[in-house]
Amino acid sequence: MRTITMKGNTMTKTLKYENTANIGDTIKAYDFARYGEKESYIQGIVVDKGQCDDKYYVCYKIKLTKRLVGGDDVTQKTIDAGADVWYVPFETNDDTWNVSTDIKKIERVTKVKEAA
């Protein structure tokens, strides 16, 4: 939740993907910078949520379980390089765009599996 103060008035706003998942759930986050190419996304188990580590934004901290770049599975290569923890912001400037294909709308962050 973001708090905004303007001219002495305080408002709170729930960020777009803030309530998508909880700790233990598995999420998928698309990379729209590569939109129009083959699928690019990260997927992982949420290990923390909110103000994580030294990030200046609120996010999901995930343990990587899958990474596709341009349709190619690069999960093991990414983990072997030491990049097994990723951060997914609750909201970005790109979230205001309605990204869709001819068939369905694509949400940037989705819950894939609920915690056991």
Side-chain angles (χ1 to χ4, degrees):
M1 185 168 297
R2 179 172 55 185
T3 302
I4 304 164
T5 303
M6 296 175 69
K7 296 182 181 180
N9 296 320
T10 301
M11 303 177 291
T12 57
K13 176 188 176 213
T14 300
L15 301 176
K16 183 161 185 169
Y17 296 108
E18 169 176 4
N19 295 319
T20 298
N22 293 305
I23 294 173
D25 292 345
T26 300
I27 62 170
K28 178 190 275 188
Y30 280 93
D31 179 3
F32 287 139
R34 299 180 64 88
Y35 187 73
E37 299 176 20
K38 293 182 181 176
E39 269 193 318
S40 295
Y41 64 83
I42 56 174
Q43 185 171 305
I45 299 168
V46 177
V47 296
D48 200 3
K49 171 179 179 174
Q51 195 71 47
C52 301
D53 300 332
D54 60 349
K55 302 301 174 204
Y56 65 90
Y57 52 88
V58 288
C59 60
Y60 294 104
K61 178 180 180 180
I62 66 169
K63 178 83 169 167
L64 187 72
T65 58
K66 188 170 189 176
R67 181 175 181 221
L68 257 60
V69 176
D72 296 327
D73 189 334
V74 295
T75 308
Q76 197 56 54
K77 181 179 177 182
T78 303
I79 292 170
D80 290 347
D84 61 334
V85 173
W86 289 69
Y87 299 89
V88 178
F90 288 163
E91 187 171 291
T92 68
N93 290 340
D94 292 338
D95 294 337
T96 58
W97 293 90
N98 288 325
V99 178
S100 62
T101 64
D102 293 336
I103 301 169
K104 64 179 180 175
K105 181 177 181 203
I106 300 171
E107 292 290 340
R108 184 177 60 82
V109 180
T110 57
K111 181 170 24 176
V112 176
K113 181 180 173 189
E114 212 159 298

